[in-house]
Amino acid sequence: MEQYWDDDDLLVAAQSDLWNHLFVFLKSMSLKCAVELGIPDAIHRHSGPVSVPDLVAALSLPAARLPPLRRLMRMLAFSRLFTRQTSEAAAGGEEEDLYGLTPTSRLLVDDAGGRRSLAPFVRAMLDPVHTAPCLHVGDWFKAADGAATPFEAVHGSVIWGVTRSNPEFNAVFNEGMAADGTFIMDVIVRKCGHVFRGLRSLVDVGGGTGAAAGIVAEAFPHIKCAVLDLPQVVQGLPADGPVDFVAGSMFERVPPADAVMLKWILHDWDDEVCVRILQKCKEAIPSREAGGKVIVVEQVTGSSPEEKSTEMQHFFDVWMMILTGGRERDEQEWCKIFTEAGFSDYKIAATLGLRSVIEVFP
Ligand SMILES: C[S@@+](CC[C@H](N)C(=O)[O-])C[C@H]1O[C@@H](n2cnc3c(N)ncnc32)[C@H](O)[C@@H]1O
Ligand SMILES: COc1cc(O)c2c(=O)c(O)c(-c3ccc(O)c(O)c3)oc2c1
C-alpha cells in the first residue's frame, strides 16, 4: 500500500477507476432516454444505418436538439448499444456518422416478425418509483425506524401497495413484466418444452397479465392455463382468452392444477415466506406419480463462471434487497427452501442465460 501511494501511475489509474464507478449510471440513464425517444424503433424503420439529422427528423425532435443527440448517440455506440460507421461525404457535404442496431438494441424493437420489444421492461425498471429508493440506501441503513427496505422507506409501502395505489406505475410495471414474460417463455418452450409435456393444467402464480402463461397455452393448446395474481393486476383482463385469470393471494389459496409455475416470485421474499408460498403451491398439485410439480424460474447464483454474469447476479441481489427485501439464492439455498416446504426432490431442467428452470417435485 505504501508503495502504491508513491506510484503516480497507479494513483491516477485508481482515480480513473473511481470515475468509472461514479458515472456508470449514465449508461442506464442514456438507455432510458433512447427508449423514451424510440430510437431503436426509428433505426429499425429506417431499415439501415441512420444519420443523426435523419433521426431528429424521424423522431420529430426540435432542430436545436441535433448537436446533443449526436453526443448521446456517440456515447451509446461506444457502449455498444448501437453500431457506428462514418459515411462517405456527399458531394459538397460533410461526413456523417451512421448508427445501426446491435443484437442488444435489436431487443428493444417491436418487430413485425412477432417478437415483442423489451423496451417496456427498460421503462419499468428505470421508472422513478424503482430508481428513487436506489438513491436512499445509505439513509435506510442509518435509519432507526425499521423500514424493511429502502423501497418502503421512500414510498411508505411495499411495492404491491404502490401497484395498488398508483395505476400509472401499475400499468408500467405489468407491461414491463409481460415483455420479459413473453421473451423468456418463448425461449423456455423451445429449449425445455419437455417440462410442460404431459401436463393437463398449469397455474402461473403471480403470473401478472398472463404473458408467460399465454405462450405456454399457445405452444401446448391442450394445457388449461390460468394466472393467479393480485386484483389490481388481473382485473379487467379478457375472460374469453386462452388464459383464465383468478384474482387472489398466493398466501391464501392457489387454484388446483397439475403444475404451478413461479417465475420471478420467490426471490421477492425471504426464506420463511418462500416456504409458505411453496406449501400453498404443494396443496394445489397432485402427487409426483400423478404428474404434480412446481416449475420455478429464477436465478441460481454461482452457476455461471463468467465474471460479467456474476457481477449481474450481485446487482440483482442488491436490487431485490432495495426493492422487495428478497434475495438471490444459490443451489444449496434453493434446496433448503424446497425441502422445508415438504418437497422431496428437484431438478434444474435448463439454464438460460442468468435464469434457470427448476422442476420441484412433491
Ligand atoms: C416480479 S413480478 C413477476 C411477474 C411474472 N411472474 C413475471 O415473471 O413476469 C411479481 C408478481 O407477483 C405478484 N404478487 C405479489 N404478491 C402476490 C400475492 N400475494 N398473490 C399473488 N400474486 C402476487 C405481483 O402482482 C407481480 O405480478
Ligand atoms: C434484468 O433485470 C432484472 C432481472 C431480474 O431477475 C429481475 C427480477 O427477477 C425481478 O423480480 C425484478 C423486479 C423488479 C422490480 C420489482 O418491483 C420487483 O418486485 C421485481 O426485476 C428484475 C430485473
Side-chain angles (χ1 to χ4, degrees):
M1 212 54 183
E2 279 307 306
Q3 192 193 355
Y4 175 86
W5 290 113
D6 291 341
D7 186 326
D8 285 333
D9 290 342
L10 287 181
L11 215 49
V12 173
Q15 190 194 30
S16 296
D17 193 44
L18 176 66
W19 284 0
N20 190 24
H21 285 281
L22 185 54
F23 289 114
V24 74
F25 80 97
L26 285 171
K27 252 187 168 181
S28 314
M29 292 306 136
S30 306
L31 167 65
K32 179 175 190 282
C33 171
V35 164
E36 282 169 359
L37 296 181
I39 292 175
D41 280 322
I43 296 178
H44 181 66
R45 279 196 304 273
H46 197 262
S47 57
V50 57
S51 69
V52 181
D54 284 349
L55 260 183
V56 166
L59 300 170
S60 309
L61 299 178
R65 296 290 179 252
L66 175 65
L69 191 62
R70 278 194 209 286
R71 292 158 68 181
L72 185 85
M73 291 304 290
R74 227 177 288 148
M75 184 208 134
L76 286 168
F78 189 82
S79 302
R80 293 187 300 279
L81 195 69
F82 299 115
T83 61
R84 174 180 167 208
Q85 67 197 68
T86 304
S87 74
E88 303 280 309
E94 294 198 1
E95 280 188 347
E96 274 293 349
D97 285 334
L98 298 179
Y99 293 92
L101 297 170
T102 61
T104 308
S105 47
R106 190 80 186 64
L107 295 178
L108 303 171
V109 170
D110 239 330
D111 212 350
R115 193 177 294 282
R116 273 182 54 185
S117 165
L118 284 176
F121 187 72
V122 173
R123 258 181 239 120
M125 294 304 117
L126 297 179
D127 186 283
V129 170
H130 279 136
T131 54
C134 300
L135 301 175
H136 295 280
V137 180
D139 300 333
W140 172 73
F141 268 104
K142 287 186 273 182
D145 64 359
T149 58
F151 188 96
E152 280 179 64
V154 166
H155 295 295
S157 151
V158 299
I159 176 140
W160 317 119
V162 177
T163 57
R164 193 170 56 237
S165 64
N166 179 339
E168 289 83 29
F169 177 70
N170 185 40
V172 168
F173 183 82
N174 294 335
E175 279 162 28
M177 287 295 160
D180 179 74
T182 309
F183 177 83
I184 199 68
M185 274 326 281
D186 243 359
V187 180
I188 290 175
V189 297
R190 277 199 301 272
K191 293 272 263 195
C192 54
H194 64 272
V195 165
F196 301 99
R197 255 171 234 128
L199 297 178
R200 287 156 304 173
S201 55
L202 173 94
V203 55
D204 189 4
V205 168
T209 52
I215 300 283
V216 177
E218 199 181 306
F220 303 94
H222 59 280
I223 303 181
K224 194 169 154 29
C225 292
V227 162
L228 170 76
D229 210 303
L230 298 171
Q232 70 264 28
V233 179
V234 297
Q235 71 201 357
L237 294 176
D240 55 353
V243 174
D244 290 331
F245 292 99
V246 181
S249 170
M250 61 194 170
F251 296 112
E252 280 153 29
R253 181 177 173 272
V254 172
D258 283 349
V260 168
M261 184 155 73
L262 291 168
K263 173 180 167 287
W264 274 1
I265 302 300
L266 297 176
H267 73 173
D268 280 349
W269 305 94
D270 67 24
D271 287 7
E272 182 258 324
V273 178
C274 284
V275 169
R276 268 169 42 214
I277 295 170
L278 282 165
Q279 284 168 337
K280 285 287 171 202
C281 294
K282 190 161 174 277
E283 287 168 13
I285 55 174
S287 68
R288 181 174 188 170
E289 295 67 39
K293 64 170 114 169
V294 176
I295 302 164
V296 173
V297 182
E298 291 278 2
Q299 269 102 240
V300 178
T301 57
S303 57
S304 166
E306 200 202 313
E307 203 183 313
K308 261 211 139 93
S309 304
T310 309
E311 184 180 38
M312 213 52 227
Q313 287 178 339
H314 289 302
F315 286 169
F316 293 151
D317 190 45
V318 172
W319 181 245
M320 289 297 110
M321 175 188 94
I322 294 172
L323 298 178
T324 66
R327 53 179 303 159
E328 299 300 343
R329 298 178 171 92
D330 63 24
E331 186 171 345
Q332 257 185 329
E333 292 166 321
W334 283 121
C335 177
K336 184 166 170 280
I337 290 172
F338 300 152
T339 308
E340 272 177 31
F343 288 84
S344 66
D345 196 9
Y346 71 94
K347 186 171 158 209
I348 300 183
T351 298
L352 311 158
L354 285 174
R355 278 183 281 198
S356 296
V357 180
I358 316 171
E359 292 175 283
V360 190
F361 302 104

